[in-house]
Amino acid sequence: MDLITCDHAHPYTARPDGLFACSCGELLAAADIEPETGQVWTVDTSGSLVLLADPRTALESAQDALRDLQEAEEYPSPSAVRQHAVQALQEALEVLREAAAYGVTP
């Protein structure tokens, strides 16, 4: 999770009118938020605008890792494939857990 901040490193927080404002007065509209590929934005419980890893990408990674675990014996080095797949699965599950904690689902 990373806070979305203005140029002066002040976090943006939600306002009742649907805009986001930082403490120095800059405003940001939801339509102007452009997360990088593989990220999504949401608002945390304090009203701050945050970036998270995209849970849809994590779900795809988890599915790929499970497929690799099932097919590991077909590769020249099954133990290396299993080890890589388990690590990828753990990373994907952590992203999914964090997203779920913010109420973001794939």
Side-chain angles (χ1 to χ4, degrees):
M1 183 276 310
D2 294 314
L3 289 172
I4 297 178
T5 62
C6 69
D7 292 335
H8 305 288
H10 300 123
Y12 284 101
T13 55
R15 295 178 5 157
D17 62 3
L19 294 174
F20 299 94
C22 69
S23 61
C24 56
E26 291 184 35
L27 296 177
L28 182 64
D32 296 328
I33 303 169
E34 297 179 10
E36 294 180 15
T37 301
Q39 293 184 317
V40 296
W41 67 269
T42 191
V43 177
D44 69 11
T45 56
S46 70
S48 295
L49 190 56
V50 297
L51 285 173
L52 301 172
D54 188 343
R56 291 173 293 200
T57 303
L59 184 58
E60 290 170 8
S61 295
Q63 291 168 335
D64 290 344
L66 289 171
R67 191 173 312 107
D68 286 346
L69 282 171
Q70 291 173 333
E71 299 171 358
E73 293 301 321
E74 298 174 18
Y75 292 91
S77 180
S79 62
V81 171
R82 278 193 222 83
Q83 183 178 9
H84 178 74
V86 167
Q87 181 178 354
L89 185 56
Q90 289 172 332
E91 291 169 3
L93 291 174
E94 179 57 28
V95 168
L96 290 166
R97 185 207 57 77
E98 181 180 47
Y102 284 91
V104 179
T105 59

